[in-house]
Amino acid sequence: MSADAAATERLHFVCPHCATTNRVGRDRLSDGPACGNCKRALFPGKPFDLTTATFDRHIGGDATVIVDFWAAWCGPCRMMAPAYEQAAAKVAPGVHLAKVDTEAEPEIASRFAIRSIPTLVAFRNGREIARQSGALPLPQLMQWITTHAQN
């Protein structure tokens, strides 16, 4: 692919607010693109919740989606939550950080054989590309995300 073709390549990103699929040129990612439907930021800089109804749509787009499988009763999940929030504000455009409450969405947790929480799973184009169990402090969390979120 030529440099011009790569710059104008259209990627599909699902809006974390209204779940509308948006086509965005790779060269426009750093401009902070907004959803064509709801006009809100496609990359809001904070994690968003996924449900059984929205999960497949979000992980099926061109964004790398890092999903934190967690539960409210889990101490390590609560310990990692602030770092995950901070990481969401630091990730590169084209990366979404999402959360799945395993108590509210047990079907998703079962589907991906989540055996311990917190567990991070990286998805790209609907496929799991990496997995990490256990709470991570911000530096290691950012390193793990950066390693697996190459667009």
Side-chain angles (χ1 to χ4, degrees):
M1 180 182 302
S2 72
D4 289 338
T8 60
E9 176 186 9
R10 297 270 188 214
L11 302 171
H12 294 92
F13 296 108
V14 179
C15 177
H17 310 289
C18 71
T20 298
T21 300
N22 293 263
R23 287 184 313 173
V24 178
R26 185 180 295 276
D27 58 337
R28 294 208 41 241
L29 284 178
S30 61
D31 297 340
C35 175
N37 183 48
C38 72
K39 310 300 183 218
R40 295 173 72 183
L42 285 178
F43 302 100
K46 61 182 184 174
F48 57 93
D49 294 322
L50 293 176
T51 64
T52 301
T54 61
F55 188 85
D56 287 327
R57 183 170 184 93
H58 279 278
I59 68 164
D62 289 324
T64 298
V65 181
I66 308 295
V67 179
D68 174 19
F69 288 88
W70 70 285
W73 53 262
C74 169
C77 299
R78 289 194 313 271
M79 282 182 5
M80 190 173 81
Y84 199 68
E85 288 276 337
Q86 292 172 353
K90 295 179 178 200
V91 295
V95 178
H96 278 149
L97 268 59
K99 297 176 78 70
V100 170
D101 180 346
T102 58
E103 293 292 305
E105 305 295 341
E107 310 84 28
I108 301 171
S110 176
R111 179 175 152 196
F112 290 97
I114 302 301
R115 302 282 183 246
S116 64
I117 52 175
T119 292
L120 298 173
V121 180
F123 294 93
R124 187 177 304 126
N125 300 111
R127 297 177 55 206
E128 179 178 333
I129 59 170
R131 181 180 290 230
Q132 168 70 45
S133 293
L136 297 174
L138 184 60
Q140 286 82 8
L141 178 60
M142 288 303 301
Q143 180 179 10
W144 189 86
I145 292 169
T146 302
T147 299
H148 301 293
Q150 304 299 321
N151 272 334

